Amino acid sequence: MSKPEFVYTTYIETSAEKLWHALTDGDFTERYWFGHRVASDWKVGSPYRFTHPDRPSPKGKVLISNPPRQLAYTWEACSDDLKHEGNLTRDLRSRTARQYR
Protein backbone atom coordinates (compact mmCIF):
# COMPACT_ATOMS: atom_id res chain seq x y z
CA MET A 1 0.00 0.00 0.00
CA SER A 2 1.38 3.43 -0.91
CA LYS A 3 1.93 6.22 1.59
CA PRO A 4 -1.23 8.30 2.10
CA GLU A 5 -1.27 11.76 0.57
CA PHE A 6 -3.31 13.16 3.42
CA VAL A 7 -3.80 12.11 7.03
CA TYR A 8 -6.42 13.78 9.21
CA THR A 9 -6.84 12.93 12.89
CA THR A 10 -10.00 13.63 14.87
CA TYR A 11 -10.43 13.05 18.58
CA ILE A 12 -13.99 12.31 19.67
CA GLU A 13 -14.92 12.00 23.32
CA THR A 14 -16.86 8.74 23.29
CA SER A 15 -16.29 5.02 23.60
CA ALA A 16 -15.01 2.92 20.70
CA GLU A 17 -18.31 0.99 20.78
CA LYS A 18 -20.44 4.12 20.40
CA LEU A 19 -18.22 5.45 17.62
CA TRP A 20 -18.39 2.14 15.74
CA HIS A 21 -22.18 2.32 15.97
CA ALA A 22 -22.17 5.91 14.70
CA LEU A 23 -20.07 4.97 11.65
CA THR A 24 -21.87 1.75 10.71
CA ASP A 25 -25.53 2.21 11.64
CA GLY A 26 -27.80 3.46 8.86
CA ASP A 27 -30.25 5.16 11.21
CA PHE A 28 -27.43 7.13 12.81
CA THR A 29 -25.71 8.13 9.55
CA GLU A 30 -28.99 9.19 8.00
CA ARG A 31 -29.61 11.51 10.93
CA TYR A 32 -26.11 13.02 11.19
CA TRP A 33 -24.60 12.69 7.69
CA PHE A 34 -27.05 14.98 5.90
CA GLY A 35 -29.57 12.26 5.08
CA HIS A 36 -27.06 9.72 3.70
CA ARG A 37 -27.84 6.23 5.01
CA VAL A 38 -25.04 3.64 5.12
CA ALA A 39 -25.62 -0.08 4.59
CA SER A 40 -23.26 -3.06 4.74
CA ASP A 41 -22.63 -6.24 6.70
CA TRP A 42 -19.17 -4.71 7.49
CA LYS A 43 -17.25 -7.89 6.70
CA VAL A 44 -13.88 -7.65 4.93
CA GLY A 45 -14.45 -7.70 1.17
CA SER A 46 -18.13 -6.75 1.43
CA PRO A 47 -19.53 -3.73 -0.37
CA TYR A 48 -20.96 -0.76 1.47
CA ARG A 49 -23.11 2.02 0.10
CA PHE A 50 -24.47 5.31 1.29
CA THR A 51 -27.87 6.17 -0.12
CA HIS A 52 -29.78 9.42 -0.29
CA PRO A 53 -33.09 9.96 -2.08
CA ASP A 54 -31.98 13.19 -3.77
CA ARG A 55 -28.17 13.12 -4.00
CA PRO A 56 -25.39 10.96 -5.37
CA SER A 57 -23.72 8.95 -2.61
CA PRO A 58 -20.35 7.23 -2.16
CA LYS A 59 -19.83 3.50 -2.17
CA GLY A 60 -16.93 1.13 -1.80
CA LYS A 61 -15.54 -2.04 -0.29
CA VAL A 62 -14.68 -2.89 3.32
CA LEU A 63 -10.90 -3.39 3.70
CA ILE A 64 -10.56 -3.87 7.48
CA SER A 65 -13.30 -4.67 9.95
CA ASN A 66 -12.36 -5.30 13.55
CA PRO A 67 -15.35 -4.15 15.64
CA PRO A 68 -15.21 -1.90 17.53
CA ARG A 69 -11.52 -1.00 17.03
CA GLN A 70 -10.73 -0.66 13.33
CA LEU A 71 -12.65 0.09 10.17
CA ALA A 72 -11.16 0.79 6.75
CA TYR A 73 -12.90 1.02 3.40
CA THR A 74 -12.44 2.30 -0.12
CA TRP A 75 -14.17 5.51 -1.14
CA GLU A 76 -15.42 5.61 -4.72
CA ALA A 77 -16.57 8.70 -6.57
CA CYS A 78 -20.28 9.27 -6.27
CA SER A 79 -20.71 11.67 -9.19
CA ASP A 80 -18.84 13.03 -12.18
CA ASP A 81 -18.23 16.24 -10.21
CA LEU A 82 -16.46 14.33 -7.44
CA LYS A 83 -13.80 12.30 -9.22
CA HIS A 84 -11.89 11.38 -6.08
CA GLU A 85 -11.28 7.84 -4.95
CA GLY A 86 -9.29 6.62 -1.98
CA ASN A 87 -9.31 4.66 1.24
CA LEU A 88 -10.55 5.67 4.68
CA THR A 89 -9.16 4.03 7.79
CA ARG A 90 -10.76 4.53 11.17
CA ASP A 91 -8.70 3.50 14.18
CA LEU A 92 -11.15 3.67 17.07
CA ARG A 93 -9.03 3.71 20.20
CA SER A 94 -10.35 4.53 23.62
CA ARG A 95 -8.19 6.81 25.71
CA THR A 96 -8.52 8.06 29.24
CA ALA A 97 -8.51 11.76 30.00
CA ARG A 98 -5.02 11.36 31.48
CA GLN A 99 -3.64 10.26 28.08
CA TYR A 100 -4.69 13.57 26.48
CA ARG A 101 -2.54 15.69 28.83
Side-chain angles (χ1 to χ4, degrees), residues 40-60:
S40 178
D41 65 8
W42 301 109
K43 294 178 183 175
V44 173
S46 291
Y48 79 89
R49 176 179 278 289
F50 282 90
T51 57
H52 189 285
D54 302 320
R55 298 182 186 142
S57 299
K59 64 180 180 177

Side-chain angles (χ1 to χ4, degrees), residues 11-84:
Y11 295 96
I12 300 171
E13 190 173 341
T14 191
S15 68
E17 291 79 8
K18 287 180 181 177
L19 186 53
W20 180 273
H21 177 78
L23 295 171
T24 60
D25 180 76
D27 291 336
F28 190 97
T29 62
E30 185 175 35
R31 184 172 176 190
Y32 292 100
W33 291 25
F34 308 100
H36 293 268
R37 183 178 187 83
V38 70
S40 178
D41 65 8
W42 301 109
K43 294 178 183 175
V44 173
S46 291
Y48 79 89
R49 176 179 278 289
F50 282 90
T51 57
H52 189 285
D54 302 320
R55 298 182 186 142
S57 299
K59 64 180 180 177
K61 182 174 81 170
V62 178
L63 301 173
I64 299 170
S65 183
N66 183 15
R69 302 286 178 222
Q70 290 181 302
L71 178 62
Y73 47 86
T74 63
W75 188 269
E76 297 177 21
C78 57
S79 74
D80 290 338
D81 296 335
L82 302 171
K83 288 288 187 184
H84 180 74

